Amino acid sequence: KIGNSDDDERDTVQLDISKEYSILCKLYDVFRDSPHLSVPRPIAFFEDLDALVTEEVPGTQLNALIVSSSRIHSWGKLSTNTLEAVCSRAGEWLGKFHDTTKISAGSPNIDDLILYCDIRLERLCAAKNSGVDECLREGVRKRLLSLSREVRGESDLIAGRHNDYSPHNMIYDGDTLTVLDFGFFDYESIYFDIVRFWERLDSLRYN
């Protein structure tokens, strides 16, 4: 992975890649003896090149396996039982990840999540033929604010957050599930990655 940035952003890019290398080193030590679960082996971080080098991971992206297995005629098709087992391993991986990176119990940053959703709805409103208008955007925002009042003050486990825990960031080689791309790693409620994975699985139903 090579960071792309201009001179004004280079310090930020270097810090992000350095952080990704550090968390990969930590996770590799944790997962190296785990049967069927893994992360890419980190090899080096080259600060002068803004580059991170890892060992190549053989196999196929999980999202490609899910999509191909839904077709009647497809090479490399996996059985439903096998896909369920691999997705179960994704849950096992996430549990181990959270256990390794947990830091405290606390309240999730709900306001940031609402803003995250609103920014994306705003972009959809601006896009032609998206089916999203300002009325829908405002309705969603009000609903999210209403739901947030019900959970504010509740305590969640705060741990490492992958931020893109999705089948396209997972490689399966017939035995081991390897999770990729920790460029957006930070700390937040454990439920974010759980919901992200579930949402991406659900979206694959419509491909």
Side-chain angles (χ1 to χ4, degrees):
K1 173 185 279 189
I2 298 177
N4 294 315
S5 66
D6 54 33
D7 290 339
D8 293 336
E9 298 178 341
R10 188 172 183 197
D11 288 345
T12 301
V13 170
Q14 281 183 340
L15 179 60
D16 288 345
I17 296 178
S18 175
K19 285 168 58 180
E20 183 172 4
Y21 179 71
S22 295
I23 189 62
L24 262 180
C25 289
K26 179 178 180 178
L27 292 175
Y28 183 75
D29 286 341
V30 170
F31 282 97
R32 66 191 308 170
D33 296 322
S34 298
H36 315 302
L37 304 173
S38 184
V39 298
R41 183 171 73 89
I43 295 175
F45 165 55
F46 296 99
E47 184 175 357
D48 56 329
L49 300 175
D50 302 337
L52 167 63
V53 179
T54 66
E55 190 173 67
E56 182 179 4
V57 179
T60 305
Q61 285 180 313
L62 180 56
N63 65 319
L65 291 172
I66 292 171
V67 171
S68 65
S69 296
S70 67
R71 297 171 182 152
I72 296 175
H73 301 290
S74 177
W75 181 86
K77 184 175 181 178
L78 298 180
S79 69
T80 300
N81 288 342
T82 300
L83 282 176
E84 288 178 353
V86 177
C87 288
S88 178
R89 285 182 187 172
E92 292 177 32
W93 190 100
L94 195 56
K96 194 174 184 71
F97 172 68
H98 287 154
D99 285 342
T100 300
T101 59
K102 62 185 177 184
I103 55 175
S104 66
S107 299
N109 194 331
I110 296 174
D111 293 330
D112 274 2
L113 292 174
I114 293 175
L115 179 61
Y116 175 93
C117 293
D118 192 55
I119 289 172
R120 280 147 185 81
L121 287 171
E122 182 181 29
R123 292 173 183 170
L124 288 171
C125 286
K128 292 182 179 179
N129 304 317
S130 69
V132 177
D133 58 19
E134 286 294 339
C135 182
L136 177 59
R137 176 190 174 194
E138 182 62 17
V140 170
R141 191 183 72 83
K142 288 182 177 179
R143 179 59 176 159
L144 290 175
L145 287 171
S146 175
L147 290 171
S148 73
R149 286 192 285 270
E150 298 178 14
V151 298
R152 285 185 190 277
E154 292 188 6
S155 181
D156 283 344
L157 177 63
I158 305 301
R161 177 170 63 171
H162 182 283
N163 263 310
D164 196 10
Y165 197 69
S166 307
H168 69 263
N169 276 327
M170 300 175 187
I171 299 291
Y172 181 63
D173 65 359
D175 179 68
T176 298
L177 182 74
T178 302
V179 177
L180 314 174
D181 194 359
F182 295 85
F184 297 107
F185 174 86
D186 63 6
Y187 291 91
E188 247 299 345
S189 168
I190 62 171
Y191 294 109
F192 186 94
D193 284 336
I194 296 172
V195 173
R196 173 66 174 169
F197 184 68
W198 183 270
E199 181 272 329
R200 295 313 301 164
L201 286 180
D202 197 49
S203 71
L204 288 172
R205 295 166 55 194
Y206 303 103
N207 282 358

